[in-house]
Amino acid sequence: MARIDAHPGEQAAQDPIRLLAIRESPLSVDEIFRAVGDDAAGGTALFVGTVRNHDGGADVDTLGYSCHPSAEAELRRVAEKVAADYPVRALAAVHRVGDLAVGDLAVVVAVSCPHRAEAFEACRKLIDDLKHEVPIWKHQTFSDGTEEWVGAC
């Protein structure tokens, strides 16, 4: 009898990175979800980061993201590491730059794996590493007129 994990669907896909981008245009959860569709995936985890109306106890009026020219290359490096460490069938990550309003989607990442636990773990690793290692910065302006830059790395 063959081992369950011997089936090709239990392994990582040959090229699981389906979509990586940094965009000025609005993000689509449906686009990212479709990008990670895979018949061999039993679990898909998706994370959506939105602009909230407060930070650190202060009301946020406006928010803008900017990035270093190396950001897409760093995003690919992070995605490749996640794909190497987990049995990823499909992976997608898109971050927005430019001026955003409260409620706008700032980042959407998704991972499909053979099982749900792996998908959750890989998705969490993807968003955490993206936030810590990809050079994307957030500029917030608060209701009291103060502002701050928040570095992702």
Side-chain angles (χ1 to χ4, degrees):
M1 179 172 194
R3 292 183 349 187
I4 292 173
D5 64 356
H7 188 281
E10 292 292 320
Q11 309 303 316
Q14 285 288 88
D15 185 12
I17 299 173
R18 305 278 176 83
L19 172 63
L20 295 177
I22 297 175
R23 296 183 179 159
E24 291 184 22
S25 57
L27 306 183
S28 165
V29 172
D30 290 339
E31 176 191 20
I32 283 63
F33 183 70
R34 280 191 308 271
V36 297
D38 189 288
D39 289 344
T44 299
L46 182 122
F47 172 81
V48 179
T50 57
V51 177
R52 63 179 177 264
N53 66 358
H54 68 282
D55 190 28
D59 292 333
V60 172
D61 276 352
T62 63
L63 185 142
Y65 284 98
S66 60
C67 67
H68 188 271
S70 68
E72 282 198 21
E74 289 301 307
L75 179 57
R76 175 159 295 280
R77 184 187 59 74
V78 164
E80 287 172 347
K81 176 82 168 98
V82 170
D85 291 347
Y86 297 89
V88 174
R89 299 296 308 171
L91 177 151
V94 183
H95 202 296
R96 188 155 173 212
V97 293
D99 295 329
L100 283 74
V102 170
D104 283 348
L105 306 184
V107 60
V108 182
V109 301
V111 178
S112 294
C113 292
H115 304 282
R116 71 178 175 274
E118 300 157 340
F120 278 126
E121 291 172 23
C123 189
R124 174 144 198 163
K125 181 72 170 159
L126 178 59
I127 188 59
D128 286 351
D129 288 357
L130 184 160
K131 297 302 280 180
H132 289 107
E133 298 179 28
V134 179
I136 298 172
W137 305 283
K138 175 171 60 172
H139 181 244
Q140 300 182 115
T141 304
F142 299 101
S143 295
D144 65 5
T146 61
E147 59 185 52
E148 74 175 350
W149 282 94
V150 180
C153 54

